[in-house]
Amino acid sequence: MKRYDYLLVNKFLVCCIGLLISLQVQAQFWPEDLKVHGFLTQNFFHTSDNNVYGQSDDGISPGLTEIGLNLSYQPFKRLTLSAQGLYRRAGKVGGGVVRLDYGVADLNLFNYQNGRVGIRGGRIKIPFGLYNETRDVAFTNPTILLPQGIYFDRSRSLLVSADGGSLYADHRTEFGDFYFKFNLGMPLGDNEEIRSSILGPAAKGQIKASPAFATQLSYELNGGETVFAVSFMNLKLKYQPTVADFISAGNTTIRPLLFSAQYNGEKLGLTAEYQYRWNDYKGYVVIANTQFVTESWYIQGSYRFLPQVQGIVRYDTYSSDIEDRGGQRAARNGLPNHLAYAKDWMLGIRWDITPTLMLRTEYHRVHGTAWLAQSDNQDQSKTKQDWDLYALQISYRF
């Protein structure tokens, strides 16, 4: 990375930290029922080959920056209003824009002795797995990069939030606590990376999402010491080609089913998730494989050596088509077979310097390139099958 880029990033971070500290001071004088929080996360990446979040294979890329400010206000006993604005710069996938991450009116319909039932409306987070609803906040994530076979960053805008409504219910029992969510809304996002990940780099038209639903049932024991969850989503996308597009109009249906399990001990943590995703392509003349199944899973362990220091190790694997795990179909089309799969060993360290400041670093040894962003790797024929990834993250919150 050039010296000019370093200076620009440093100046940008100093300005952002100053803004967040200023907001934190001002928040002390706001009404007690108005809660204000924020965060700033800057990441740096270096890879032996291939690119992540910008040009990382021949230097250091500061291409992933996240800044969030959220507010919560309770005007009435049963009504809570909350919203978060988010600035996110993610290599060439996300060019650095400020957007409404979520904006929710939460109405608690009624409480009873062992639980509650309520509804939410607005721009709502999509319940999927253990981390999807909080994936923008570094302090709530286990690692710098979430398991990319499940929590894709390149198609993040389709999966994080939707404009619509949600029904939720919580129920406590002597055997544990149950939580249920059902969302119905219009997913967000249509960009080059999403089109490329679904239809390939030749697609130049537009993808429009139909109203989609997502649901999750989870069970927690001993206040979250043990967690089990099952999540399901039904997402339908319609592709409208341009005049010169050789890909015809068509429809894509994606239905992921995700099973999650987690143990949170005093020092030891264990997490595993398994996803089985049905993909159905209809109407696309040039796409021969119209129905296929994607499989991904990971297992992760963490250990807290000191109250402020935690080590973590993870293995995750992703196969874009379980009937073509080796990528022979991609090879027949003149592309590297490693575009069809990815296997990732990760080792990381987290240091909570203070309750509001965190430093984290991790190393990945990756076999395959299935989850790499097309925007950062324009010529896929030049991507390498086996590569190393080094990441550093610093995050501040208030």
Side-chain angles (χ1 to χ4, degrees):
M1 188 174 61
K2 297 179 181 179
R3 178 175 175 78
Y4 172 78
D5 295 330
Y6 277 118
L7 293 175
L8 186 62
V9 170
N10 289 338
K11 185 180 294 186
F12 175 73
L13 292 178
V14 169
C15 292
C16 291
I17 292 174
L19 175 61
L20 290 177
I21 294 175
S22 174
L23 289 171
Q24 184 177 13
V25 173
Q26 294 181 39
Q28 299 176 4
F29 303 98
W30 291 343
E32 292 184 1
D33 52 0
L34 176 63
K35 299 178 181 179
V36 181
H37 299 281
F39 60 87
L40 164 63
T41 302
Q42 178 60 50
N43 304 271
F44 300 89
F45 299 93
H46 169 71
T47 51
S48 61
D49 297 284
N50 310 321
N51 289 312
V52 294
Y53 302 109
Q55 193 71 29
S56 62
D57 70 336
D58 59 354
I60 298 175
S61 169
L64 180 57
T65 305
E66 294 174 306
I67 304 171
L69 179 66
N70 58 74
L71 301 93
S72 177
Y73 178 61
Q74 189 172 11
F76 305 105
K77 183 177 180 180
R78 294 182 178 273
L79 178 64
T80 302
L81 306 176
S82 59
Q84 175 169 287
L86 179 69
Y87 169 86
R88 191 170 193 271
R89 180 175 59 98
K92 295 183 180 179
V93 178
V97 295
V98 178
R99 62 186 292 271
L100 180 65
D101 189 38
Y102 65 82
V104 179
D106 185 332
L107 179 61
N108 186 354
L109 296 178
F110 62 89
N111 294 318
Y112 59 99
Q113 184 176 359
N114 294 322
R116 61 172 184 164
V117 176
I119 57 174
R120 299 185 178 105
R123 178 160 294 179
I124 51 178
K125 287 287 190 174
I126 296 175
F128 190 70
L130 298 172
Y131 304 114
N132 196 58
E133 292 177 279
T134 59
R135 63 191 295 177
D136 296 318
V137 184
F139 281 82
T140 65
N141 293 336
T143 52
I144 299 174
L145 289 180
L146 290 173
Q148 291 297 295
I150 295 175
Y151 302 98
F152 273 112
D153 219 30
R154 65 186 187 187
S155 53
R156 171 190 171 280
S157 58
L158 274 177
L159 304 176
V160 171
S161 56
D163 293 335
S166 175
L167 171 69
Y168 66 89
D170 308 338
H171 182 69
R172 298 180 296 274
T173 73
E174 58 181 315
F175 309 104
D177 303 331
F178 294 86
Y179 301 89
F180 173 75
K181 298 175 184 177
F182 181 86
N183 285 29
L184 180 63
M186 186 70 72
L188 309 176
D190 172 37
N191 58 40
E192 180 182 350
E193 191 60 45
I194 293 174
R195 295 194 300 272
S196 176
S197 64
I198 295 174
L199 298 174
K204 304 300 181 183
Q206 287 191 335
I207 284 183
K208 299 294 184 182
S210 301
F213 75 84
T215 187
Q216 183 181 77
L217 176 65
S218 58
Y219 166 78
E220 296 186 6
L221 186 64
N222 295 333
E225 180 183 63
T226 304
V227 180
F228 296 99
V230 57
S231 311
F232 180 75
M233 189 185 308
N234 189 80
L235 178 63
K236 294 184 178 181
L237 306 169
K238 183 177 181 180
Y239 179 71
Q240 187 63 43
T242 62
V243 175
D245 204 336
F246 79 95
I247 298 179
S248 61
N251 298 282
T252 302
T253 302
I254 301 172
R255 298 188 301 274
L257 177 65
L258 179 61
F259 298 95
S260 310
Q262 187 173 69
Y263 168 75
N264 298 296
E266 182 178 354
K267 292 187 175 181
L268 177 67
L270 298 171
T271 305
E273 292 191 281
Y274 173 82
Q275 179 182 244
Y276 193 87
R277 190 180 79 203
W278 293 272
N279 307 274
D280 189 3
Y281 289 25
K282 293 183 179 179
Y284 303 105
V285 175
V286 298
I287 301 178
N289 188 19
T290 56
Q291 292 182 326
F292 59 97
V293 172
T294 297
E295 182 185 62
S296 54
W297 59 268
Y298 73 90
I299 184 168
Q300 176 178 281
S302 64
Y303 189 80
R304 191 170 297 280
F305 299 100
L306 298 170
Q308 296 83 23
V309 180
Q310 182 184 56
I312 189 165
V313 62
R314 181 176 69 222
Y315 174 75
D316 67 84
T317 179
Y318 171 80
S319 298
S320 60
D321 185 348
I322 61 174
E323 295 184 356
D324 185 31
R325 294 184 186 272
Q328 286 78 15
R329 186 175 298 108
R332 288 196 298 268
N333 293 329
L335 296 172
N337 60 351
H338 53 75
L339 293 174
Y341 56 83
K343 300 176 182 179
D344 182 4
W345 278 102
M346 186 280 301
L347 180 66
I349 295 290
R350 169 175 174 166
W351 178 26
D352 291 297
I353 303 172
T354 71
T356 61
L357 184 64
M358 177 186 67
L359 182 66
R360 185 153 54 188
T361 184
E362 61 192 41
Y363 164 74
H364 296 251
R365 178 59 179 173
V366 190
H367 176 70
T369 59
W371 49 259
L372 278 180
Q374 167 75 23
S375 299
D376 292 320
N377 300 272
Q378 294 291 335
D379 189 348
Q380 293 183 312
S381 65
K382 294 182 179 180
T383 55
K384 304 299 182 181
Q385 177 179 254
D386 296 296
W387 51 292
D388 301 304
L389 185 154
Y390 305 86
L392 176 69
Q393 178 183 83
I394 183 167
S395 185
Y396 169 78
R397 65 177 176 180
F398 70 86

